[in-house]
Amino acid sequence: MAGFVDLNIPHLAEKESLQKLVESAAHLGYSTVAINYVVDYDEKKKEIVKPISPTELFKALPLVQGKSKPIKILSRLTLVVSDPSHCNILRATSTNIKFYDIFAVFPKNGKLFHVACTTLDVDLVCINVTEKLPFYIKRPSVNVNIILSSAAEKPLQLRGPYDVANLGWLFGLSESNAKAAVSTNGRAVLLHGEARKTASGAVYTKKKPQIPEEEDSTPVSKKAKMAL
């Protein structure tokens, strides 16, 4: 099984509280967490801030229990949207957009949910399973695997990955799908985010060493033709 992930650790204003949340996640066995910054278009404040970097948060990253390796901390931007135009910011050239590893949308109506699932270039589409949805989810829109995350604001609200998988089983997921919802499916989201960020492509070039003049026996006239 891939490492366990929690892709919704809310960004807290108090640095110490955020540190404790990440430390607790590492202690519970999560290999990767994403600190979630939410922009709600129903609220007045829509500024997209630069996410905190792991080095700003910790001098030395907490070790993952049972793995003896540091936890990986990513950044996630979630847009709470009620209109398709709200998603335009994801295509903007804002200096802060580029710092986020994961893009997510939280649609507030059924039409937007369908658009988010089928056409938007985002990594996650969110729903709140603790509340009654204002729309029905149609199966054709959701033909992908599921991610379970905590949105915990306090360490006591976090649950171990196996406990979360058991909750998935109670929600109707099979045992394998419930485990994937806190492990391999999260890894797929991270890979999608990496692919999205490099969608324009990257080219690696290396300058070829020039042959010293005395070792090059090509006639000068031929060199001139080759240079055209």
Side-chain angles (χ1 to χ4, degrees):
M1 182 185 295
F4 294 115
V5 301
D6 188 337
L7 300 184
N8 190 2
I9 298 293
H11 175 255
L12 304 177
E14 293 184 4
K15 183 177 178 180
E16 185 178 351
S17 298
L18 185 56
Q19 288 171 329
K20 289 180 179 179
L21 263 180
V22 175
E23 289 170 346
S24 297
H27 179 72
L28 288 170
Y30 290 98
S31 297
T32 302
V33 295
I35 298 176
N36 189 21
Y37 296 74
V38 179
V39 174
D40 192 339
Y41 277 87
D42 289 336
E43 300 177 357
K44 292 184 179 180
K45 189 175 181 180
K46 305 179 185 66
E47 180 186 3
I48 296 179
V49 299
K50 182 180 178 181
I52 190 170
S53 68
T55 53
E56 292 177 83
L57 198 56
F58 293 101
K59 292 182 178 179
L61 293 174
L63 296 179
V64 180
Q65 185 179 30
K67 290 186 177 293
S68 299
K69 68 176 184 180
I71 192 170
K72 186 175 183 180
I73 303 175
L74 303 176
S75 57
R76 165 181 162 179
L77 175 65
T78 300
L79 300 181
V80 181
V81 297
S82 55
D83 187 272
S85 63
H86 296 162
C87 300
N88 292 339
I89 189 66
L90 297 177
R91 296 189 291 271
T93 55
S94 166
T95 55
N96 289 331
I97 284 284
K98 63 183 179 182
F99 293 109
Y100 286 89
D101 301 297
I102 300 171
F103 287 165
V105 292
F106 194 147
K108 303 300 287 185
N109 58 61
K111 182 179 179 180
L112 269 176
F113 181 82
H114 177 75
V115 169
C117 289
T118 56
T119 62
L120 288 183
D121 188 17
V122 294
D123 309 309
L124 285 172
V125 179
C126 311
I127 59 172
N128 189 342
V129 296
T130 64
E131 299 176 357
K132 184 178 181 180
L133 296 178
F135 56 89
Y136 291 102
I137 296 178
K138 299 179 181 179
R139 189 174 182 84
S141 298
V142 188
N143 192 25
V144 294
N145 289 322
I146 295 172
I147 306 294
L148 296 177
S149 55
S150 67
E153 296 183 351
K154 298 178 181 179
L156 287 176
Q157 295 174 339
L158 285 169
R159 294 293 180 268
Y162 288 104
D163 290 336
V164 176
N166 287 337
L167 285 174
W169 182 76
L170 291 175
F171 292 151
L173 297 176
S174 67
E175 182 178 355
S176 60
N177 285 341
K179 289 181 179 179
V182 289
S183 57
T184 53
N185 291 353
R187 176 60 179 163
V189 170
L190 304 185
L191 291 175
H192 187 276
E194 292 173 5
R196 174 182 44 74
K197 291 177 73 174
T198 58
S200 58
V203 178
Y204 174 75
T205 61
K206 183 177 180 180
K207 187 176 181 180
K208 184 178 180 180
Q210 291 185 345
I211 302 174
E213 189 69 27
E214 61 271 17
E215 296 180 9
D216 188 359
S217 59
T218 306
V220 176
S221 59
K222 191 172 183 178
K223 284 183 180 179
K225 291 180 181 179
M226 292 169 60
L228 293 176

